[in-house]
Amino acid sequence: MNRQNYTFTSESVSEGHPDKVCDRISDAVLDAFLKEEAEARVACETFATTDRVVIGGEVRGPGHVTQQVEQIARDCVRDIGYEQKGFHWANMKVENHLHAQSAHIAQGVDGGGNRDEGAGDQGIMFGYAVNETDELMPAPIHYAHAILKRLTEVRKSGAEPDLRPDAKSQISLRYENGEPVEITSIVLSTQHASEDQSSDDIRDIVEPYIREVLPADWITSATEWWVNPTGTFVIGGPDGDAGLTGRKIIVDTYGGAAPHGGGAFSGKDPTKVDRSAAYAARYLAKNVVAGGLAERCLIQLSYAIGVSKPLSIYADTFGSGQVPDEKIEEAVSKVMDLSPRGIRQHLSLNRPIFQRTAAYGHFGRPPEADGGFSWEKTDLADALKNAV
């Protein structure tokens, strides 16, 4: 029996968080390659610290894109909004250490002759969906993202000029009979303009926007507010703490409400199943829930490097399924080709759509007209119902 009464917490970080700066640059480099060559191979890592960004990894694609990497990094940092002493888009030093993809990796991944393209690495990937929000995402991570996304909007619009790019949020949500009913605590730490501003001053700025995005009846007189609890937060971003690609994987997925396979997403082209199969697993789990086959669904896929088909498919509906879980396992492989190539084709992943995923979660976002967030569509729900 699953627990019905509990409190669960998830956190998010803004696009100006040092790790997210690095995710953004890595995905922008990926998009630049995919824009020029749909079959480009990219595994790009970024490190950021005071006045410095270091980019490395392996690529296979048009050589002239590599020459654009420094400007790509500066454009990302400028768009995020860093123009501060210690980290400024125009003054920071950018080091580019990208190199050609290993031939040994390429031989296991590339298709040819009678052999289909293999997975870019071994690994396990998870997808999850639950019906507690319209987006079929866990509520704590959904609303932690929503707070920071809204604060970013008012910062960039100029409505709140005292806010700065680096921020973190955290929501603790109480569940009763399996349903979210009350926010027990709200934590928000945001970089700001002046050392003269107190925590109370910052709360006065951010509280209206936090209340705007949270369900009003979930905030009660007992809800604890912790806004900039350590006090002054003027030095932020990579000047305050170093950043690294792929260090916020739970923020990227389900806020800890579901397992994560371990592999990060950003900077990886869609032949890497760390990314594409995690998207496919979310797509399948979301369509199971959207089709009414379960209230909650977890899908696990596993792969081996150089092998095209998944080694295993696992489904768990936590007792909420309308059909046995093994029937869902059988159905998902019938309605979707889960080879790396099949996933890329089904979800149209070989296009420059990844930079936008770098902050505020890879899941729970509306599908976009150019193919962005295609894995959030629910167009497979009827096929899954028919298959079971």
Side-chain angles (χ1 to χ4, degrees):
M1 177 75 69
N2 293 311
R3 288 184 64 189
Q4 296 295 299
N5 301 309
Y6 57 92
T7 298
F8 194 83
T9 302
S10 293
E11 70 161 346
S12 181
V13 297
S14 71
E15 65 183 51
H17 184 279
D19 296 329
K20 281 293 152 197
V21 172
C22 295
D23 285 346
R24 170 76 175 271
I25 293 170
S26 293
D27 274 336
V29 171
L30 169 62
D31 279 355
F33 275 96
L34 292 177
K35 184 177 180 180
E36 296 293 324
E37 184 178 307
E39 297 291 333
R41 300 287 190 263
V42 179
C44 177
E45 309 288 348
T46 303
F47 167 72
T49 187
T50 302
D51 282 332
R52 186 179 298 265
V53 168
V54 181
I55 301 164
E58 58 173 30
V59 298
R60 189 175 71 190
H64 69 271
V65 178
T66 305
Q67 308 305 313
Q68 302 169 7
V69 165
E70 178 177 342
Q71 190 59 49
I72 290 170
R74 295 190 189 281
D75 289 345
C76 288
V77 174
R78 178 172 55 185
D79 183 69
I80 291 168
Y82 277 116
E83 296 184 340
Q84 65 188 39
K85 181 180 179 181
F87 200 71
H88 192 297
W89 64 269
N91 302 328
M92 66 187 188
K93 182 176 181 180
V94 180
E95 298 180 28
N96 177 6
H97 300 284
L98 293 173
H99 60 83
Q101 184 185 50
S102 161
H104 292 168
I105 292 177
Q107 72 183 358
V109 176
D110 292 344
N114 295 322
R115 184 169 64 85
D116 193 11
E117 173 187 290
D121 201 352
Q122 71 175 49
I124 56 175
M125 297 82 208
F126 290 95
Y128 181 70
V130 61
N131 65 359
E132 63 192 42
T133 62
D134 291 342
E135 296 78 9
L136 305 184
M137 285 289 287
I141 188 65
H142 172 76
Y143 287 107
H145 287 323
I147 288 170
L148 294 180
K149 196 171 183 181
R150 182 63 180 132
L151 292 178
T152 297
E153 290 170 353
V154 297
R155 171 177 65 85
K156 287 188 166 183
S157 72
E160 298 296 346
D162 286 336
L163 297 181
R164 294 294 182 264
D166 195 358
K168 301 178 75 171
S169 65
Q170 186 170 284
I171 295 292
S172 296
L173 187 54
R174 185 172 68 84
Y175 288 73
E176 192 172 282
N177 298 319
E179 300 292 331
V181 296
E182 179 190 18
I183 295 173
T184 61
S185 67
I186 300 167
V187 182
L188 188 284
S189 295
T190 181
Q191 185 185 11
H192 55 95
S194 171
E195 293 187 1
D196 295 331
Q197 293 171 303
S198 68
S199 297
D200 289 339
D201 294 331
I202 302 305
R203 178 169 174 174
D204 288 342
I205 294 172
V206 302
E207 183 173 345
Y209 301 109
I210 293 174
R211 289 184 177 275
E212 180 183 317
V213 300
L214 297 180
D217 57 340
W218 287 2
I219 303 176
T220 71
S221 58
T223 300
E224 295 183 339
W225 289 74
W226 301 98
V227 176
N228 281 20
T230 62
T232 303
F233 183 10
V234 173
I235 300 172
D239 187 33
D241 188 11
L244 194 65
T245 299
R247 210 160 50 177
K248 286 291 177 284
I249 58 176
I250 301 304
V251 170
D252 288 341
T253 55
Y254 308 103
H260 190 292
F265 300 155
S266 290
K268 296 178 180 176
D269 75 73
T271 66
K272 279 73 169 175
V273 285
D274 277 348
R275 182 169 218 159
S276 58
Y279 289 174
R282 160 66 178 174
Y283 176 61
L284 292 168
K286 185 175 184 180
N287 277 271
V288 167
V289 176
L293 296 175
E295 295 177 2
R296 298 169 62 196
C297 183
L298 176 75
I299 299 288
Q300 184 204 57
L301 305 173
S302 71
Y303 292 85
I305 188 168
V307 179
S308 62
K309 67 176 182 178
L311 304 185
S312 66
I313 301 172
Y314 169 80
D316 187 353
T317 59
F318 307 92
S320 72
Q322 300 300 306
V323 297
D325 291 346
E326 54 267 30
K327 292 292 185 182
I328 292 175
E329 292 169 355
E330 295 171 5
V332 297
S333 62
K334 291 178 181 177
V335 301
M336 185 175 180
D337 177 359
L338 291 171
S339 69
R341 184 181 298 277
I343 292 171
R344 296 205 324 277
Q345 291 177 343
H346 191 110
L347 298 177
S348 301
L349 297 181
N350 283 107
R351 59 177 79 189
I353 56 173
F354 297 107
Q355 184 179 171
R356 68 196 74 171
T357 68
Y360 315 117
H362 292 244
F363 308 126
R365 313 274 289 273
E368 297 178 347
D370 66 351
F373 302 100
S374 60
W375 49 94
E376 291 297 313
K377 293 181 179 179
T378 54
D379 56 348
L380 212 59
D382 288 341
L384 280 166
K385 286 192 287 186
N386 292 334
V388 300

